[in-house]
Amino acid sequence: MKMGWWSGRLRKNGNGPGEDQDESWDVFTDVRKAQMEWERAHLMFDEAVGQDQIDYAIYILEAAERKYQIHLKHAKRIGLKSNQL
């Protein structure tokens, strides 16, 4: 069961066949989604006009970057390699 990017859950070994592959796939998709969100935040920053939009874009960009880093750390922790991402 997937509970969201913040759950930090790690499945225990021996929970049944395919559990490791399921977790790897979940982590892979989380990383890709976070990467796309980070890229969208960059575009938002590039297109921001005016101080309020720029400030908001910076806030969104920093949050997206941190989320991406969290997912990359999780992928590293379970042994996914960069060529698998």
Side-chain angles (χ1 to χ4, degrees):
M1 172 181 4
K2 190 169 179 180
M3 299 179 72
W5 72 269
W6 60 89
S7 68
R9 89 275 191 259
L10 288 175
R11 295 181 184 155
K12 295 180 182 174
N13 291 334
N15 284 348
E19 290 290 327
D20 289 337
Q21 286 182 341
D22 289 345
E23 182 181 14
S24 294
W25 179 252
D26 289 345
V27 172
F28 171 79
T29 58
D30 288 343
V31 168
R32 296 297 290 165
K33 287 178 186 177
Q35 182 183 20
M36 288 186 288
E37 186 176 326
W38 180 61
E39 291 170 357
R40 280 192 306 270
H42 271 279
L43 292 174
M44 180 189 296
F45 177 76
D46 288 342
E47 296 175 1
V49 178
Q51 192 60 45
D52 288 340
Q53 285 185 9
I54 292 170
D55 288 345
Y56 180 69
I58 289 170
Y59 173 79
I60 296 299
L61 181 58
E62 288 174 345
E65 184 174 335
R66 182 66 185 133
K67 184 176 178 179
Y68 187 36
Q69 290 171 347
I70 289 168
H71 285 298
L72 287 174
K73 283 182 183 178
H74 188 197
K76 183 178 180 181
R77 190 169 53 242
I78 67 165
L80 287 179
K81 305 291 184 223
S82 62
N83 64 345
Q84 294 172 302
L85 298 173

